[in-house]
Amino acid sequence: MRTTFILLFALLICGALKVHAQAKNAIGLGAALNTSRENSNGFGGLLQGEIKITKAVSVTPYLATEVPYSVQAGLSGRYYFGKMIYASAGAFGYYDADYSGFGATGGAGFIPISGHHQTLDLNLHADYLKKGYRTTIIGIRLIYSFSFTRLE
């Protein structure tokens, strides 16, 4: 599975001809893969919005179901350094059958493919939370977004 993912990612990057990424008003669907020392590897999906504040700053609310969380809802801010790379930081709440609580998240993203209304976003993130014990979860999300406004 990892080999397939690496090959697919390499094809996406090599196939990108033009990138128009920037802060935008958009909605997206994504897939996630998470890992941590305390929990087993897991996957999930998410629904994410993006609300443009300025050309370089946006707010991203999201709702997800990912392992090790049953349900997760969060709000992050993004700062775009350029048209392809951004940093994000925020907070989230989670619910699981055994534990529920709040955590913090931070990460970086790369947009390998973008059109005038569509983007493919690769997001690397780290979540910090207390789930019976303190833990850090490292993950990757691949998100397809549709922008309601035309991207430059």
Side-chain angles (χ1 to χ4, degrees), residues 58-70:
S58 66
V59 176
T60 56
Y62 63 92
L63 182 61
T65 176
E66 298 178 16
V67 173
Y69 320 106
S70 292

Side-chain angles (χ1 to χ4, degrees), residues 3-129:
T3 305
T4 304
F5 177 76
I6 292 169
L7 290 173
L8 179 62
F9 180 66
L11 287 172
L12 288 174
I13 290 176
C14 293
L17 299 175
K18 201 169 187 182
V19 175
H20 301 282
Q22 61 193 357
K24 56 198 164 296
N25 294 312
I27 190 161
L29 290 171
L33 180 63
N34 294 326
T35 188
S36 73
R37 287 185 179 170
E38 294 83 6
N39 298 299
S40 62
N41 297 337
F43 60 92
L46 73 143
L47 174 65
Q48 173 181 284
E50 185 171 356
I51 303 163
K52 180 178 180 177
I53 305 297
T54 68
K55 185 171 181 166
V57 177
S58 66
V59 176
T60 56
Y62 63 92
L63 182 61
T65 176
E66 298 178 16
V67 173
Y69 320 106
S70 292
V71 177
Q72 177 186 21
L75 182 65
S76 295
R78 283 187 179 180
Y79 178 79
Y80 286 85
F81 295 104
K83 294 191 177 224
M84 294 174 30
I85 299 172
Y86 65 86
S88 63
F92 64 91
Y94 63 93
Y95 171 79
D96 189 32
D98 298 326
Y99 298 100
S100 62
F102 296 94
T105 186
F110 175 67
I111 299 176
I113 297 175
S114 179
H116 292 294
H117 288 280
Q118 304 173 64
T119 60
L120 189 61
D121 182 349
L122 182 64
N123 177 274
L124 304 170
H125 66 95
D127 296 345
Y128 177 77
L129 64 132

